[in-house]
Amino acid sequence: MVNGRATTRPGTSSRRRMLRLAGGGLALAALAVGAVGCDEDAVDAEDAGGTNGSGAGKPKEAGSGTGSGSGKDGQAPDPLWTESTPAQTYGDNDELVTAAGVVIASGSPLAALDTATGGKKWSLPGGAIPGAPLLLGNGTLYLASSEYDGSVIGYDPATGKETWRSHLSKAYRQPRPIAVDERQVYVIAEILEDDGSSKTNVIAALDSATGRIAWKEQRDTGTEQNGIHAAVRGRHLVYTDVKKNLTVRDTATGSQVWTHKTTKTNYGFFAVHQELVIVPQGQTLQAFDLSDGKEKWSLKTSGFAAFKEPAVVEDVLYIADSDRTLRAVDPRTGKELWQSEALAKAGLQVPRQYVKAGGTLYGATDLDDKGGIIALDAKTGDVRWTFNDGTGDFHAWLVATDGKRVFALHGKKLHALPV
């Protein structure tokens, strides 16, 4: 993607993304020293309402937007509401989530806003620790404990009440959930040495019913617990890290099925579809079979363009490259469904995250300049409109949807856009 400029040369690092990867681990380590605990059951509930405003800072009542995701004459619709949040984000796609009628942005305190009005429904004083995801599964929001006591805690996203808790043991530090399925929550934690330092880490599965440890496996020396991206498909847990490892484990036993050293993984972002993991590696997009690691298909860009972050949305793979060409691809075969140069023609940035509502694909870009939320025709890739709050904030945009609204987070401003 681009980092504030119109284009990014293949191989050029994103300064913002590097800060995200480093910042998550550094902030986590700093906060762990002398962190003050809080009562996990202490939920600050407030009446829905709040103060609503437009992206430009003018007061606007909730629901006073155009009411159409297409906007007027190619213009972005007015926000239904805009609220300030205590968001603390590093640009990961799992730092803005929506479930059970609320939208939540990672931060401290952790605040859940009503999707319809923007009013605060509940908040957690300790919030989400930096660098750890907001992990949703089984109707539960899983968080690493803000007390840094080795716990992983589950909350009801509708109320903020604690519903589940697990603890690895005192032999491990800073466990962070990375993925969840119907039976287990998967975490990575540091293994403590006798002197309190840590040189290795462990990956473990926690039973989502009892909280008991189902299995734990020490990862190879040299691997890191930061910059992890993970997903679960059936019997396979797949994840990447900042050391450019692509690894698949058996979810029943924790045993390693296979691992590949990748050349480039766009800071670890990948997509999964059925039994395939799809990984961008510079000018090549590769799909590997989850069961054995064999390549099933590959796709190349034109010239020297590099593929950016992929996403599978409703059985279609969307991915852009550094020349700002957007592709829709059949994730089963690698066959292109369409290719669009509309982003380049409009002088827009490349989306790094995608969601879909109706027939519109919404992309969130990295930095503010020539970016924001881009609404695209999901069948052609044509640009319908772009939304930018004009703040100039250096944070990456994040996007989520509940199917009725599109939520756009930029810095500490959260906007609800009509679909």
Side-chain angles (χ1 to χ4, degrees):
M1 88 195 49
V2 285
N3 57 354
R5 299 180 177 86
T7 59
T8 299
R9 297 186 303 275
T12 301
S13 296
S14 163
R15 178 177 178 271
R16 176 64 196 158
R17 192 61 48 77
M18 293 302 290
L19 287 173
R20 174 183 62 77
L21 293 173
L26 291 174
L28 188 62
L31 288 171
V33 180
V36 179
C38 66
D39 182 1
E40 299 294 313
D41 288 324
V43 179
D44 176 20
E46 296 190 6
D47 293 336
T51 302
N52 295 296
S54 72
K58 298 178 181 179
K60 186 177 294 295
E61 294 180 0
S64 64
T66 65
S68 169
S70 60
K72 293 181 179 179
D73 300 325
Q75 299 299 310
D78 293 333
L80 299 171
W81 52 260
T82 294
E83 290 291 343
S84 294
T85 73
Q88 295 174 324
T89 62
Y90 294 90
D92 260 343
N93 295 348
D94 47 24
E95 294 175 319
L96 178 69
V97 298
T98 179
V102 300
V103 57
I104 309 169
S106 182
S108 181
L110 189 68
L113 305 186
D114 187 289
T115 54
T117 68
K120 187 163 69 173
K121 295 294 288 290
W122 56 262
S123 68
L124 294 175
I129 64 175
L134 302 177
L135 186 63
L136 283 170
N138 304 318
T140 303
L141 173 67
Y142 296 97
L143 299 174
S145 173
S146 60
E147 294 183 357
Y148 297 90
D149 60 359
S151 297
V152 177
I153 308 170
Y155 299 90
D156 179 353
T159 65
K161 296 291 186 181
E162 180 180 325
T163 59
W164 179 91
R165 181 181 286 255
S166 182
H167 192 281
L168 277 179
S169 81
K170 293 182 179 180
Y172 306 99
R173 180 172 60 192
Q174 300 176 357
R176 278 175 280 178
I178 59 170
V180 60
D181 59 20
E182 295 80 5
R183 297 178 296 108
Q184 296 173 155
V185 181
Y186 303 91
V187 301
I188 283 183
E190 298 176 357
I191 301 174
L192 286 175
E193 303 290 335
D194 292 337
D195 61 0
S197 65
S198 178
K199 301 180 180 67
T200 53
N201 59 88
V202 66
I203 186 167
L206 308 174
D207 190 295
S208 59
T210 66
R212 295 175 180 171
I213 299 173
W215 51 258
K216 60 179 182 293
E217 293 287 333
Q218 181 172 329
R219 297 178 69 212
D220 294 341
T221 301
T223 58
E224 295 185 11
Q225 65 275 12
N226 297 320
I228 299 289
H229 298 280
V232 186
R233 283 296 181 274
R235 285 285 298 268
H236 300 111
L237 169 66
V238 55
Y239 57 92
T240 56
D241 60 26
V242 295
K243 293 291 188 179
K244 299 179 181 176
N245 297 301
L246 173 66
T247 304
V248 174
R249 290 185 180 271
D250 188 306
T251 57
T253 65
S255 60
Q256 186 169 288
V257 180
W258 57 266
T259 186
H260 286 337
K261 204 73 175 178
T262 58
T263 55
K264 289 184 178 180
T265 58
N266 285 289
Y267 303 96
F269 285 94
F270 62 87
V272 291
H273 181 71
Q274 296 179 357
E275 294 302 310
L276 296 178
V277 53
I278 304 163
V279 186
Q281 301 196 75
Q283 297 165 251
T284 303
L285 184 67
Q286 290 179 288
F288 300 103
D289 192 304
L290 285 172
S291 63
D292 57 19
K294 293 181 179 178
E295 183 182 292
K296 302 299 289 186
W297 58 259
S298 65
L299 182 67
K300 291 187 178 296
T301 62
S302 302
F304 296 100
F307 279 116
K308 305 314 241 178
E309 291 90 338
V312 174
V313 184
E314 296 183 5
D315 295 328
V316 176
L317 171 68
Y318 298 99
I319 189 167
D321 63 32
S322 55
D323 279 348
R324 292 177 290 175
T325 298
L326 178 65
R327 294 171 174 82
V329 178
D330 185 336
R332 299 168 301 171
T333 63
K335 180 182 178 180
E336 285 192 11
L337 303 176
W338 52 256
Q339 186 177 124
S340 171
E341 297 181 0
L343 292 172
K345 291 178 180 178
L348 297 172
Q349 288 196 25
V350 172
R352 47 166 299 280
Q353 183 190 14
Y354 304 87
V355 299
K356 186 181 176 186
T360 302
L361 183 70
Y362 299 88
T365 70
D366 206 346
L367 303 181
D368 185 70
D369 185 34
K370 295 294 184 181
I373 301 300
I374 304 174
L376 304 153
D377 188 313
K379 293 184 179 180
T380 64
D382 291 340
V383 176
R384 290 180 169 173
W385 49 259
T386 61
F387 173 81
N388 194 308
D389 57 15
T391 63
D393 192 291
F394 66 90
H395 284 85
W397 285 81
L398 294 175
V399 65
T401 183
D402 62 358
K404 300 177 181 179
R405 307 161 195 85
V406 171
F407 304 99
L409 179 67
H410 188 215
K412 294 186 181 296
K413 291 292 184 181
L414 180 60
H415 311 274
L417 303 174
V419 170

